[in-house]
Amino acid sequence: MSSNMAPNVCAVGTPGRRKVYSMCGMCAVRCPVEVTVEDGRVAWLQGNPNDKLLGASLCAKGAAGIAFENDDQRPQTPLIRSGPRGSGQWRRASWDEALDYIADKLKETIEADGPRGIALSDRGGLFADLTKTFVKALGSPNYFNHDATCAGNVHNAARSIIGFSPTGLIPDFKNTKHLVLYGRNIVESLVVKEAKAFMAAIANGMQCTYIDPRASITACKATRYWQVRPNSDYALNLALIHEILKREIYDKDFVERFVVGMDELREAVKDTTPEWQASHTGISAEQLRDFVTEIGTQAPHVIFNPGWMTARHKQSFYVSRTTLILNALMGNMEIPGGFVIAKPPEYYGRKSLKTLAARVPAVTEPRVDGAGTDRPTWDPAIGMLHQLFAAMETEQPYRVSAYIAYRHDPLTAMPDAEAMKRAMDKLKLLVSIDVRYSETGWYSDVILPESTYLERANILTQMPGSVPVFLMRDQAIAPRFDSRPAWWIFRELLHRLGIKEALDFETIEELWNYQLEGTAVTVAEMREEGIVSLAAEPKLTPRDALKFPTPSGKIEITSDLLNEAGLLSFPPYETKAAPSGDRFNLLFGRPPVLAHGQSLNNPLLNELAPEQVLWIHPERAAPLGIADGDEVEITGGGKYSGCLKAKVTQWIHRDAVFMLHGYGATVPLATRALGVGVADQRLQEGKLYDFDPAGGGCALTKTIVQIKRRVTGGSKS
Amino acid sequence: MSKYMLRHDEANCIGCQACEVHCKTNKNLGPGPSPCKIISTGPIDVGGQPRIRHVFMPCFHCEEAWCMKTCPTGAMQRREKDGIVFVEVSLCIGCKSCITACPWGTPQWDPATRKVVKCDYCKDRLDVGLQPACVTKCVTGCLSFGVANEVPDPRRERYARFIVAESSGSV
């Protein structure tokens, strides 16, 4: 077995200048990129101009990919823990030794608990066929993506109402007259293509209503900003629907033909008047009515963004559901200026890539988190990661003893690191496969260094769209250290467990050829431009043929998924008490130069990272003696606390404070990020098992923190 | 002055600072020097709405360039053909006179080379028919570059559209 050889693509070190098409790896968006390689080094990196909507554009994180590549502060060989978990004592290991070590522990787990005792999490997205196949090949149902703290609520809400993921709704900003955003911070939490299209539409006169307790930069580009009370958006939506139905400002023809459950909807909103919502949200009845009047003139070219990071509070699932209902009322589906429904290759008479998952038998064992069984509204394809930790801790409904975090850092991404560590302490095996030192990696038994996105090739991927495409991440340069690509790592682990068929490929080209079978696209064509469109022009499905992938074929305001789960279609709004004194709802977000916890150690992004400050309203700061620029101490009720400067501003709601996420790292070998700022997730004390029961997402913005002015000169606690 | 214009359309800028990194990677710079800089301030209240101001600070390639006047070695030079003010690295002794002299804080100290580095509109790229790095890879396209008066200026058109929309009541 050639397990000591890095499986480079053919001719990766060729002298001279060449262009390689890849996909960025600096955040989970994975924009297509064009890499210019000169004598085996990256000379220039830009967006892949063959993706016409992206062009050469690249964000700061993407541009800093070269600095990441050249940085030595990343795992350089496999490491096996030689002291207690988290002690930072490691020994270098060969790939054979590290893989054998993991395989032995996996075998022990399978013997003691069955394959279901093994779990894996990643950040989902375009390459998840590989990780899902690995877990399925083991015979475990327990694959998780990171959506418990991201898009879980909106994903499951969309699944219950339109029958597919919200990523299948593609906004046609170019022809949109009004875009409504519920804290979707388009110009800071960047998807480059989306930000570009959004700004072009704004310049072209698109109206934008931005709803958020804090005025982000997106609020500063919007035409209307509503500073709502934290976690009150469900009340706002119930009142919007009330007013739209009352004034009959909805597309009656569309609703008649494509929506079921209108009677239940009318009943649910009969008392949720604009006046009713005002006391909950802080938005006046008059403002709400003016808005409804405005969109009445703009429908159907009005889009209500259903959200992305929606792990906010315990009714976030219903916020996304009602947002999707607002879109249905606008009748904006599958029309210019509305949502275009993403098409698979088959829609255009082409064939999808062959999945790797199809090579292994289905797993019938129930998931450990109950997704798809005890929890019918939770999509079993993504799972809910907090319930994995619950199972580790309680061994209920069954024991999980081995956990692999692939390019995922739950100790940064999930709330309450101490609670997670308690759960992980029960594991026989904790593995981190990553390109960097993550908090989770540092707590692991084994770190396997994956080659960076510039140093590796991935499986091919396809993206459904108005025109579906195949995308390629080809290998641009040889690895600088003793790292390996993920497909090879998972193949080697499976081989050691005697599971050959799932990933039985010697080279990535062989794997690509399998994926491309029957598609009439070749590896050479993929390499030519990095992106292959599967149709010449986008096509819209005519209204007569429009059908949704739900049991009724329509948009389902009432859903069997909810009925089976014993959940109401429209639970009453849960009134939120305003925190007072030194107590605030903790809100968090990210700047455009950082992708969560993974950017702060990058030499070029570290110097751009804004100083982490705490936004606080002047009327709440004054009684606490806090002035702009003062040092304040923040606690979440547990042992962890931190200090940062106050930014006293009217652009944050009185009930909330806001800080940036991705700071407060503790890994000593990542020296630039070490100790910089405060980790909001560690302030989210006791929040690991606080989640929206319907959507499954964590209730992160329910976190209450206490703030006090830091008195300097005295004794330090 | 240089015959070129590097235009920043602030209305279309999101302050993402990608331009700063594009610039640095083209010049192979590590932490420290920033030949161009986006300075964002806010939010501030403009007619009841939150607004952030983004100011873009590259080099202005002044006609009467104080950096050139003060440079003791002639390292700070102007290209005859297009007026670009640049540093001839082989002549720079790292004395920092230009950093002191420039009223805009444009010249930057590079600790790796112990010399000065500044915006030269990526003349290496211009000379092979390309645009400056910051313009090429800008996220929104708010940066544009070319010979002055030939660079598209979106502001007049945008204002015209705005007043038409205002008079038709759709704003």
Side-chain angles (χ1 to χ4, degrees):
Chain A
M1 187 176 291
S2 58
S3 62
N4 275 321
M5 304 249 298
N8 291 315
V9 301
C10 188
V12 74
T14 313
R17 186 183 167 96
R18 62 202 178 91
K19 277 184 185 164
V20 179
Y21 293 102
S22 179
M23 291 162 77
C24 185
M26 297 299 284
C27 84
V29 173
R30 305 169 178 102
C31 295
V33 290
E34 181 185 279
V35 191
T36 305
V37 180
E38 271 174 17
D39 299 329
R41 288 180 67 86
V42 177
W44 178 254
L45 197 53
Q46 65 174 30
N48 182 349
N50 299 314
D51 183 337
K52 299 288 178 275
L53 297 175
L54 178 68
S57 295
L58 201 58
C59 77
K61 297 168 297 228
I66 299 176
F68 176 67
E69 178 58 39
N70 295 333
D71 190 7
D72 291 350
Q73 289 190 7
R74 50 187 171 100
Q76 301 183 8
T77 73
L79 296 169
I80 298 177
R81 176 167 68 83
S82 60
R85 279 206 179 120
S87 64
Q89 292 166 273
W90 301 97
R91 64 186 171 82
R92 288 164 182 262
S94 69
W95 276 94
D96 272 339
E97 187 190 359
L99 292 166
D100 287 345
Y101 179 94
I102 296 168
D104 286 347
K105 296 279 182 187
L106 292 177
K107 277 181 208 159
E108 277 175 39
T109 300
I110 291 169
E111 274 163 31
D113 305 321
R116 68 184 189 178
I118 304 169
L120 176 144
S121 70
D122 67 10
R123 296 166 303 150
L126 295 166
F127 299 117
D129 183 29
L130 178 68
T131 38
K132 285 182 174 177
T133 301
F134 171 73
V135 177
K136 194 177 168 197
L138 290 171
S140 170
N142 292 317
Y143 162 83
F144 297 81
N145 78 8
H146 73 286
D147 273 335
T149 49
C150 191
N153 284 325
V154 62
H155 175 92
N156 288 327
R159 181 172 170 259
S160 78
I161 202 161
I162 52 174
F164 57 92
S165 155
T167 55
L169 293 175
I170 299 164
D172 175 28
F173 286 157
K174 210 172 170 182
N175 299 297
T176 302
K177 290 185 179 158
H178 200 138
L179 173 67
V180 185
L181 301 170
Y182 299 75
R184 168 71 195 111
N185 189 2
I186 289 179
V187 302
E188 290 191 273
S189 288
L190 285 174
V191 175
V192 170
K193 222 189 280 192
E194 181 190 27
K196 198 170 181 162
F198 170 78
M199 288 307 295
I202 290 281
N204 208 26
M206 178 180 76
Q207 304 291 292
C208 175
T209 295
Y210 182 82
I211 303 162
D212 191 332
R214 179 190 75 109
S216 65
I217 298 183
T218 307
C220 297
K221 296 296 180 186
T223 44
R224 177 191 279 106
Y225 167 57
W226 278 350
Q227 189 180 74
V228 287
R229 166 167 292 153
N231 308 331
S232 68
D233 35 6
Y234 181 43
L236 182 76
N237 273 0
L238 290 173
L240 285 172
I241 295 171
H242 171 97
E243 191 66 8
I244 287 166
L245 292 182
K246 186 179 154 198
R247 287 159 66 178
E248 302 192 6
I249 301 169
Y250 64 94
D251 187 333
K252 287 182 189 143
D253 176 59
F254 181 84
V255 165
E256 176 72 24
R257 291 168 67 187
F258 298 107
V259 179
V260 292
M262 283 299 284
D263 291 343
E264 288 83 351
L265 182 66
R266 284 179 205 283
E267 177 62 23
V269 301
K270 69 178 190 316
D271 300 323
T272 59
T273 61
E275 281 73 16
W276 167 80
Q277 67 81 41
S279 63
H280 296 297
T281 65
I283 303 304
S284 72
E286 188 192 357
Q287 283 174 292
L288 188 142
R289 288 201 172 94
D290 286 351
F291 167 80
V292 170
T293 304
E294 188 178 322
I295 60 168
T297 66
Q298 296 159 329
H301 308 295
V302 178
I303 290 180
F304 291 82
N305 182 294
W308 187 12
M309 202 305 291
T310 43
R312 290 182 180 145
H313 53 83
K314 294 180 93 159
Q315 292 189 317
S316 284
F317 174 82
Y318 291 103
V319 176
S320 289
R321 266 180 63 81
T322 44
T323 307
L324 288 158
I325 290 170
L326 283 163
N327 286 297
L329 295 178
M330 294 295 106
N332 67 8
M333 298 283 166
E334 199 67 353
I335 56 162
F339 280 124
V340 175
I341 296 170
K343 317 291 190 302
E346 284 71 14
Y347 182 88
Y348 290 100
R350 302 293 296 265
K351 272 189 85 175
S352 289
L353 292 176
K354 271 175 85 172
T355 66
L356 297 168
R359 297 167 68 89
V360 284
V363 176
T364 51
E365 190 83 48
R367 293 182 56 92
V368 77
D369 57 1
T373 50
D374 294 347
R375 305 271 192 180
T377 49
W378 296 7
D379 185 354
I382 66 171
M384 276 300 149
L385 191 58
H386 45 78
Q387 288 307 293
L388 173 65
F389 289 99
M392 286 177 197
E393 201 165 355
T394 63
E395 303 188 1
Q396 296 299 324
Y398 54 78
R399 189 165 63 192
V400 172
S401 305
Y403 173 35
I404 300 172
Y406 167 60
R407 298 277 290 109
H408 183 213
D409 185 11
L411 288 180
T412 300
M414 303 277 292
D416 200 343
E418 299 314 312
M420 273 182 281
K421 285 181 181 173
R422 279 197 301 275
M424 292 194 294
D425 285 344
K426 295 215 168 179
L427 291 170
K428 261 190 220 134
L429 178 70
L430 175 59
V431 177
S432 166
I433 305 173
D434 212 327
V435 295
R436 66 182 191 95
Y437 293 115
S438 70
E439 297 289 303
T440 308
W442 203 246
Y443 204 69
S444 296
D445 303 330
V446 185
I447 298 177
L448 295 180
E450 189 185 18
S451 303
T452 69
Y453 69 100
L454 294 165
E455 299 169 339
R456 74 174 186 265
N458 276 48
I459 63 170
L460 299 173
T461 186
Q462 74 182 34
M463 192 141 84
S466 49
V467 170
V469 294
F470 292 161
L471 290 161
M472 169 182 253
R473 179 186 275 161
D474 200 357
Q475 183 182 359
I477 54 172
R480 287 182 59 221
F481 303 119
D482 191 17
S483 62
R484 297 289 185 275
W487 71 269
W488 182 93
I489 295 171
F490 290 123
R491 183 194 76 172
E492 289 298 310
L493 286 174
L494 288 177
H495 279 202
R496 278 167 171 76
L497 295 168
I499 304 165
K500 302 265 184 201
E501 69 279 12
L503 293 172
D504 199 13
F505 306 102
E506 276 306 306
T507 63
I508 191 73
E509 283 93 346
E510 201 184 314
L511 193 160
W512 288 340
N513 280 322
Y514 162 79
Q515 290 184 287
L516 288 169
E517 268 171 33
T519 63
V521 177
T522 64
V523 170
E525 283 170 82
M526 288 301 304
R527 278 192 159 137
E528 231 162 81
E529 297 197 331
I531 178 168
V532 170
S533 293
L534 300 172
E537 289 294 326
K539 254 188 352 200
L540 288 176
T541 304
R543 274 281 152 97
D544 290 339
L546 192 58
K547 204 165 179 293
F548 291 85
T550 55
S552 63
K554 296 185 176 188
I555 294 174
E556 296 191 342
I557 287 179
T558 48
S559 158
D560 284 344
L561 284 173
L562 275 81
N563 296 339
E564 278 167 36
L567 294 164
L568 295 171
S569 299
F570 299 96
Y573 173 70
E574 285 169 11
T575 304
K576 314 286 183 299
S580 59
D582 63 349
R583 293 162 65 82
F584 297 82
N585 280 94
L586 176 64
L587 308 180
F588 56 87
R590 48 191 268 217
V593 297
L594 300 180
H596 312 298
Q598 63 173 310
S599 315
L600 199 56
N601 203 53
N602 183 292
L604 295 187
L605 298 175
N606 180 272
E607 72 169 346
L608 287 183
E611 184 188 1
Q612 202 188 24
V613 293
L614 190 75
W615 294 44
I616 183 169
H617 193 277
E619 286 174 19
R620 295 293 306 282
L624 299 171
I626 296 167
D628 192 47
D630 278 355
E631 282 263 313
V632 295
E633 195 177 321
I634 181 167
T635 67
K639 271 187 260 171
Y640 183 76
S641 67
C643 286
L644 64 176
K645 274 189 192 148
K647 176 185 171 95
V648 178
T649 169
Q650 58 169 314
W651 299 109
I652 175 101
H653 192 276
R654 286 163 184 76
D655 291 0
V657 289
F658 168 88
M659 64 195 277
L660 292 171
H661 172 68
Y663 292 70
T666 66
V667 179
L669 294 186
T671 61
R672 302 176 207 97
L674 178 66
V676 176
V678 181
D680 61 314
Q681 73 276 7
R682 295 182 70 192
L683 296 167
Q684 291 159 348
E685 184 82 19
K687 303 297 288 179
L688 182 58
Y689 304 132
D690 193 19
F691 55 88
D692 180 331
C698 291
L700 300 177
T701 59
K702 269 188 69 208
T703 304
I704 297 288
V705 288
Q706 286 174 280
I707 310 297
K708 66 176 181 197
R709 182 162 165 259
R710 187 168 180 231
V711 182
T712 48
S715 63
K716 283 178 188 171
S717 59
Chain B
M1 300 286 275
S2 125
K3 67 177 188 180
Y4 298 120
M5 170 134 200
L6 175 52
R7 176 170 286 135
H8 177 233
D9 177 19
E10 193 203 346
N12 201 20
C13 175
I14 57 174
C16 71
Q17 294 179 287
C19 48
E20 297 181 33
V21 185
H22 300 324
C23 167
K24 291 184 67 145
T25 52
N26 191 50
K27 293 204 166 355
N28 214 2
L29 299 173
S34 280
C36 73
K37 194 87 201 147
I38 289 276
I39 318 278
S40 299
T41 313
I44 53 169
D45 187 327
V46 178
Q49 292 295 313
R51 291 291 179 254
I52 288 185
R53 308 316 302 255
H54 305 291
V55 178
F56 180 60
M57 297 290 286
C59 173
F60 300 119
H61 300 266
C62 309
E63 181 67 33
E64 202 180 307
W66 294 359
C67 58
M68 279 174 64
K69 288 191 171 176
T70 194
C71 179
T73 65
M76 193 66 82
Q77 300 179 8
R78 182 191 306 281
R79 282 219 302 201
E80 275 313 310
K81 64 173 178 182
D82 53 18
I84 289 176
V85 177
F86 70 102
V87 183
E88 174 49 54
V89 177
S90 64
L91 296 176
C92 178
I93 55 169
C95 71
K96 309 187 189 72
S97 301
C98 55
I99 298 177
T100 311
C102 173
W104 305 109
T106 295
Q108 300 282 301
W109 172 251
D110 182 0
T113 60
R114 304 182 60 77
K115 291 171 190 280
V116 159
V117 60
K118 70 175 283 293
C119 166
D120 56 7
Y121 287 154
C122 296
K123 62 182 172 60
D124 56 315
R125 291 177 56 81
L126 298 187
D127 292 347
V128 292
L130 300 167
Q131 295 259 301
C134 57
V135 176
T136 306
K137 298 199 273 181
C138 173
V139 166
T140 65
C142 72
L143 294 176
S144 51
F145 179 85
V147 174
N149 287 345
E150 289 174 15
V151 194
D153 188 341
R155 289 170 298 185
R156 290 174 171 178
E157 258 192 63
R158 189 189 300 136
Y159 180 67
R161 271 204 312 274
F162 174 78
I163 54 174
V164 170
E166 201 175 34
S167 60
S168 67
S170 66
V171 165

